[in-house]
Amino acid sequence: MIKVENLSKRFGNQLVFENLNFQINDGDFISLVGPNGSGKTTLVKIIIGLEKSSSGTIKTSGQTIGYVPQFRNIDSDYPLSIEQFIRLNLKITLNPEKRRQNNDLINTILQRTGLTEIKDRPLGLVSGGEKQKAYLAQALLNDPKTLILDESTASLDVEVKNQLMDLVQELNHKYQLTVIFITHDYDLTKKYTKRALLFKNKTIEPIDVQKVSKDMFEMEG
């Protein structure tokens, strides 16, 4: 569970947001929406411990959090395969038993993310959706209880976006993985989430996605 109470953030004299109050329960799949510059990224940094709040509290029960970034183009001559790229998130060890456990873990994550058959392909030569699955697999290595998708579907075509989100939804249902989906995509928000947290007027307003029109969503960000 993530519980936020009266959370505020300033950078000098600039107020980013104030008095945020919300709760995300285990197994939730919610969207975090709002205009660029409204504070979404700052809030995420506070949640994962990369930024301090100015006031208020945030409780995460000490849980591990996985992070999947926005799509990044990778050069075609990138030297690592999909599996080698995912392994970057593992600590190097010379212990034979730990190495065996790591190999078992990698195989499990490759299977969960549908990457087993293409694990040896160079990351720079696979599709955008397969690259994002590799980032997702990397984020799952540390067995996170919460997964943050930071506009991870941006720049992907509609079919690939839905494939990626179908996979995330499956992980959410099967493993009770809590998902925070940061997005500007109304269609994906309405299809995959029932609840959203909308940044508006320097604070957060919970909204029922199914009752919000697309015009309002686009107007807000």
Side-chain angles (χ1 to χ4, degrees), residues 23-181:
Q23 182 171 306
I24 300 172
N25 296 317
D26 293 342
D28 276 354
F29 194 146
I30 71 157
S31 295
L32 184 62
V33 299
N36 290 328
S38 60
K40 299 188 298 295
T41 298
T42 299
L43 175 59
V44 167
K45 286 182 177 180
I46 294 173
I47 291 174
I48 63 181
L50 296 179
E51 189 72 60
K52 291 184 178 180
S53 63
S54 299
S55 62
T57 60
I58 180 167
K59 299 176 183 178
T60 60
S61 305
Q63 62 183 248
T64 304
I65 297 175
Y67 177 81
V68 183
Q70 188 172 348
F71 174 74
R72 300 171 184 172
N73 197 23
I74 295 175
D75 291 341
S76 60
D77 60 353
Y78 185 76
L80 300 184
S81 68
I82 287 176
E83 180 179 344
Q84 290 168 337
F85 174 76
I86 295 169
R87 283 182 179 273
L88 292 177
N89 221 26
L90 288 174
K91 293 181 179 178
I92 296 175
T93 178
L94 298 177
N95 183 294
E97 177 61 21
K98 184 61 178 174
R99 290 173 70 124
R100 184 190 65 77
Q101 291 174 0
N102 284 348
N103 288 337
D104 289 344
L105 176 60
I106 286 288
N107 289 332
T108 297
I109 296 301
L110 286 169
Q111 195 169 34
R112 285 183 185 175
T113 52
L115 293 171
T116 301
E117 293 185 2
I118 60 171
K119 64 185 179 68
D120 296 321
R121 290 184 190 173
L123 186 65
L125 297 180
V126 300
S127 69
E130 289 162 345
K131 289 185 178 75
Q132 285 305 86
K133 283 185 179 181
Y135 276 110
L136 173 61
Q138 214 181 51
L140 294 174
L141 274 185
N142 294 322
D143 191 26
K145 303 306 177 188
T146 297
L147 185 69
I148 297 176
L149 303 176
D150 194 353
E151 300 195 38
S152 305
T153 59
S155 303
L156 301 176
D157 64 40
V158 173
E159 182 179 357
V160 175
K161 286 180 181 182
N162 281 281
Q163 288 174 357
L164 182 66
M165 294 303 293
D166 283 346
L167 174 57
V168 172
Q169 187 178 62
E170 180 183 348
L171 296 170
N172 168 254
H173 289 165
K174 194 170 183 178
Y175 303 103
Q176 283 296 293
L177 183 65
T178 304
V179 180
I180 302 173
F181 179 37

